[in-house]
Amino acid sequence: MQYTLKDVLSNKLFSSAKLLSANKIVSSQLVESVSVMEIPVEDFVRKNEFVLTTAIGCDGSPDLFLNYVKDIYTSGAAAMGVAIGRHVQSIPKDIIEFCNKKNFPIIELPWEIRFSDITKTILEQINHWEQTSIIQADNIQRELLRLYLEHQSFEKAVHYLMKEFQMDVELTYDEVFQDLHDHGKSISLDKEEPSIIRFHDGHFMQVVPIHLSNKNHCFVLIKSKKLNTPPIPWLVLNQSSTILTLWIQKELTLLNNKQKELKEFLKCLLNGNWGDKEDFIHRGEQLGYNMNLSYVCIVGHPEKPEEFYSIHRENIDNHFPKIFRQSFSELIESSSKKLNRQIIYTFQRDSIVIFLECNTIESSRNANHLLDMIDAKVEQKKIPAISWGIGENHAGKLTFHLSYKNARTALEIGRSHKGVGSRSTFASTGIYQLLISLSNNTFATELMHSTIGAIITYDRNNGLDLLHTLSSYIYHQGNVSQTARALSLHRQSLLYRLRKIESLTNRSLNDPDDIFLLQFCLKLWTVR
């Protein structure tokens, strides 16, 4: 393990020394060298150096002493040992408070301990530790290389390192680490150099950046499980990362090839041009999908994800923020396990396309069950609102293309007529599909204008909304009292409006055929 301040203080030479601050980090505070230093500090202190001093240059000034300690801390020193007895009688309170605030160890050393003895002891221990680290690094590298050449999985390599280090090991491609120990604070990871992150509860995490051939990068994170656990030597981690880089590059190449194959497969799935049926089913099996099951297509449109994630629209990668793709993918994967149903999904331009394994008879209920789980995350503000279209009319085996077309039609009509965040099935939009097909029919257009055109003109000229009054009256099935309450109108005012509508349209609101025609023209006007 890494040589730390805990190793220094455990030596019998320091039996009478007193650690006055930062006691939680001594087991993870690296010590790489030792020096004797007096004012001025300037650039003479190295990072992770144990600095020994008599503070003779401070001339008994508390302020000068405090500034001296601050300079040592700023230089990146591992700790500071102060000889007590001649120039300094005790460490002032304000210095101890500063060191505790900064998590910087300061140690009282009895005047009788010779700095030469301390330096000799620490250098001998560092040399012994370096030799041990070289042996450990070689052994670990040799074992990792063996696993790699035997084509073992990357997970097996990670499991080996966890067992060897007795620490948690994981890989991440994110440049920002969410610090759960310190209340969810975001920490930017160093892309170039290995680093160590300490948490307030005494735990720590070592970060090793991995540079890949495609100029991308990832990070190996080694997290302590127990308090007072010493860090892993950087020599060991750096040599381990050399073999891990080969593994990661290989895994990424396989993943990229699979993603390209999956992209082509899903393209065939959506356009229905999959050629030979048996070959298509076999390709699906190779990608982990059972194509012989019944599926229903669901198409979703996230509403303004750039505003939800507070990013500029031009920074959205492939129409979706990366964070949305990741969180939504995790949600779909967990939902698939909870429902115990297979789910095939992809991000298509500004839409999400989902094929859900279903019971053909209950395809709409199966789809709504999944969407209920997704909408729960919307209510928790974990993801933005999403409008949905369900292609249940063509749910079944090998009906992907038709179900997709139905779902997209349901989505587009639902968003247009029900508003954003709505959920529509293909069957429920049937009336709108009919009206859309009639909207370009000359006779239907002329009929609409001759029936309700006068109302539209009257509303524009007089600032009334007789069209909405008529729509509400029909919706409430001719019930005057309910209509008046819905419109917040006096009964007599409503009756006046209804008589005006009859005179403008030359239709009777008591005639079922006239009511049907008026309702038809209203819906056709809404579609247009």
Side-chain angles (χ1 to χ4, degrees), residues 447-458 466-467 470 474 497-510 514-515 517-519 521-522:
L447 178 64
M448 179 191 67
H449 282 297
S450 65
T451 304
I452 63 171
I455 299 178
I456 296 166
T457 302
Y458 186 87
L466 295 181
L467 212 61
L470 175 59
I474 293 173
R497 289 191 181 192
L498 295 177
R499 286 195 294 270
K500 192 65 179 177
I501 289 170
E502 288 182 320
S503 67
L504 289 170
T505 61
N506 199 27
R507 303 287 175 181
S508 171
L509 295 179
N510 293 319
D514 285 348
I515 288 288
L517 180 62
L518 289 167
Q519 186 177 22
C521 291
L522 279 172

Side-chain angles (χ1 to χ4, degrees), residues 23-182:
N23 61 314
K24 284 185 178 180
I25 71 164
V26 291
S27 61
S28 62
Q29 186 76 319
L30 313 184
V31 176
E32 296 177 352
S33 60
V34 59
S35 68
V36 178
M37 177 66 58
E38 303 295 348
I39 287 179
V41 176
E42 297 183 346
D43 297 326
F44 296 115
V45 176
R46 292 166 53 187
K47 186 178 180 181
N48 296 329
E49 190 164 76
F50 185 26
V51 176
L52 303 171
T53 183
T54 63
I56 187 174
C58 298
D59 294 327
S61 168
D63 291 339
L64 196 58
F65 192 9
L66 176 60
N67 289 329
Y68 175 38
V69 173
K70 287 181 178 179
D71 288 343
I72 295 292
Y73 164 75
T74 305
S75 69
M80 188 174 186
V82 183
I84 301 298
R86 182 171 297 182
H87 306 291
V88 175
Q89 299 305 313
S90 64
I91 308 294
K93 276 188 177 181
D94 56 346
I95 291 180
I96 297 173
E97 287 174 1
F98 169 79
C99 291
N100 273 318
K101 183 179 179 181
K102 297 297 184 179
N103 238 6
F104 179 64
I106 190 164
I107 303 160
E108 281 189 353
L109 300 173
W111 185 262
E112 296 75 23
I113 301 179
R114 294 177 178 271
F115 283 176
S116 59
D117 292 338
I118 294 176
T119 302
K120 179 185 177 185
T121 299
I122 291 178
L123 290 178
E124 286 176 350
Q125 289 181 335
I126 289 176
N127 181 62
H128 175 72
W129 163 78
E130 286 178 346
Q131 297 303 315
T132 304
S133 296
I134 291 172
I135 296 172
Q136 183 188 16
D138 287 343
N139 290 337
I140 290 176
Q141 189 178 52
R142 192 177 296 110
E143 179 62 18
L144 286 174
L145 186 59
R146 182 187 70 79
L147 293 172
Y148 177 78
L149 294 175
E150 290 179 359
H151 305 289
Q152 299 290 344
S153 67
F154 182 74
E155 288 73 21
K156 188 158 187 175
V158 170
H159 181 73
Y160 163 72
L161 290 177
M162 289 174 66
K163 185 177 179 181
E164 186 72 21
F165 297 157
Q166 292 297 299
M167 299 173 77
D168 288 329
V169 179
E170 65 178 76
L171 186 74
T172 180
Y173 292 88
D174 293 328
E175 298 175 20
V176 176
F177 174 76
Q178 292 296 323
D179 180 3
L180 300 179
H181 297 269
D182 288 353

Side-chain angles (χ1 to χ4, degrees), residues 265-429:
F265 179 77
L266 291 172
K267 186 177 177 181
C268 294
L269 203 71
L270 297 180
N271 62 32
N273 299 325
W274 54 63
D276 181 72
K277 174 183 171 182
E278 295 302 321
D279 179 61
F280 172 73
I281 292 173
H282 179 65
R283 286 174 61 195
E285 287 176 350
Q286 288 183 317
L287 292 168
Y289 302 127
N290 185 347
M291 310 312 294
N292 284 313
L293 300 173
S294 293
Y295 290 89
V296 59
C297 184
I298 309 166
V299 180
H301 180 89
E303 304 296 346
K304 299 183 179 179
E306 70 279 8
E307 292 183 10
F308 183 86
Y309 294 108
S310 301
I311 61 175
H312 294 295
R313 180 74 199 182
E314 59 269 21
N315 292 333
I316 297 180
D317 181 28
N318 295 327
H319 298 279
F320 285 115
K322 181 181 178 182
I323 189 172
F324 174 77
R325 287 173 174 264
Q326 181 178 343
S327 58
F328 192 83
S329 297
E330 290 173 356
L331 175 56
I332 287 293
E333 298 294 343
S334 64
S335 298
S336 176
K337 292 177 181 177
K338 289 178 183 176
L339 295 172
N340 194 27
R341 291 182 181 274
Q342 192 160 82
I343 296 178
I344 306 170
Y345 67 98
T346 184
F347 298 93
Q348 194 82 2
R349 296 189 297 277
D350 56 354
S351 299
I352 308 156
V353 182
I354 300 170
F355 289 99
L356 170 67
E357 177 194 344
C358 68
N359 180 318
T360 307
I361 300 173
E362 298 182 325
S363 59
S364 183
R365 188 177 70 84
N366 296 152
N368 280 299
H369 192 182
L370 171 64
L371 297 185
D372 287 343
M373 297 172 72
I374 295 173
D375 284 350
K377 297 298 180 182
V378 174
E379 292 176 5
Q380 296 170 14
K381 300 190 183 303
K382 298 290 181 65
I383 56 175
I386 306 174
S387 302
W388 297 103
I390 305 170
E392 86 290 5
N393 275 35
H394 279 96
K397 294 182 181 179
L398 300 178
T399 58
F400 301 101
H401 175 56
L402 293 174
S403 188
Y404 169 64
K405 284 180 64 178
N406 286 176
R408 183 162 285 283
T409 298
L411 170 66
E412 291 170 356
I413 293 175
R415 284 187 79 227
S416 176
H417 298 286
K418 293 183 181 180
V420 298
S422 60
R423 190 187 300 183
S424 306
T425 64
F426 183 76
S428 69
T429 59

